[in-house]
Amino acid sequence: MRNIVLVGFMGVGKTEVAKVLSARLNMRYASTDRLIEKKEGISIREIFSGKGEAYFRKLEKQVVKEVSLMENAVIDAGGGVVIDPENLKNLKKKGLVFCLRAEPEIILERTKKYVHRPLLNVRDPLEKIKKLLESRKHFYEPADFHLDTSAMSVGKVADEVEGILKNVR
């Protein structure tokens, strides 16, 4: 079975959907962000604030290469993974890439209680979300499938992914 890779902006449901899919399909679960934190021994927020985004992206690229070699896995890729086209190329080698998206207001609602989101620790987070979504839009386009999670529960998104998988295999 090919890997299932979930990409998309923070707050679109990647982590929860990946966990549900891995349980339902009896596949391994891997989170690029959690693997980075494990390697560094500190949180993503601490990496961003102490070592910078460039350092984080370098770590992320290494982890993406590692998870791209996995088999029978559901991969929850960090929100900015697609910024580097090589990451997406690696993830597609053994996986089908699903881009999850949501409206900016929904993303803000889903993420406002999480202070560990380094890119949203700004004065106007909604404006920041809109700018980041616009700047990343073309990076998400090469994904194999796109799903808008704005009005869907985690279970419904997982159902949609499973439905697509039945038609692709």
Side-chain angles (χ1 to χ4, degrees), residues 69-83:
L69 299 174
M70 290 179 167
E71 294 184 2
N72 198 43
V74 179
I75 301 167
D76 162 20
V81 158
V82 296
I83 293 170

Side-chain angles (χ1 to χ4, degrees), residues 2 5 7 61 64-65 68-69 81-97 139 142-144:
R2 293 179 72 186
V5 182
V7 300
K61 189 170 189 153
V64 166
K65 282 181 183 176
S68 294
L69 299 174
V81 158
V82 296
I83 293 170
D84 185 334
E86 191 177 328
N87 286 339
L88 196 55
K89 183 180 172 186
N90 283 330
L91 290 167
K92 282 186 162 201
K93 285 179 184 175
K94 289 188 176 184
L96 289 172
V97 178
F139 293 115
D144 299 305

Side-chain angles (χ1 to χ4, degrees), residues 130-139:
K130 289 177 180 178
K131 284 182 180 176
L132 286 169
L133 285 172
E134 184 59 34
S135 70
R136 293 180 182 180
K137 186 167 54 174
H138 68 282
F139 293 115

Side-chain angles (χ1 to χ4, degrees), residues 43-59:
S43 70
I44 300 293
R45 182 179 184 188
E46 292 169 308
I47 295 168
F48 264 77
S49 65
K51 300 179 180 182
E53 185 174 359
Y55 179 81
F56 172 79
R57 297 295 173 205
K58 183 179 172 188
L59 290 172

Side-chain angles (χ1 to χ4, degrees), residues 3 30 40-41 43-44 47 63 75 79 99 113-114 121-124 130 134 147 156 159 161 169:
N3 291 334
E40 289 293 296
S43 70
I44 300 293
I47 295 168
V63 167
I75 301 167
C99 179
K113 61 182 175 259
Y114 299 110
N121 290 333
V122 295
R123 196 170 50 86
D124 188 351
K130 289 177 180 178
E134 184 59 34
L147 292 169
K156 178 65 175 154
D159 292 344
V161 171
R169 295 192 176 151

Side-chain angles (χ1 to χ4, degrees), residues 8-19:
F9 198 74
M10 67 184 93
V12 296
K14 297 180 306 288
T15 301
E16 294 307 314
V17 172
K19 288 177 180 177

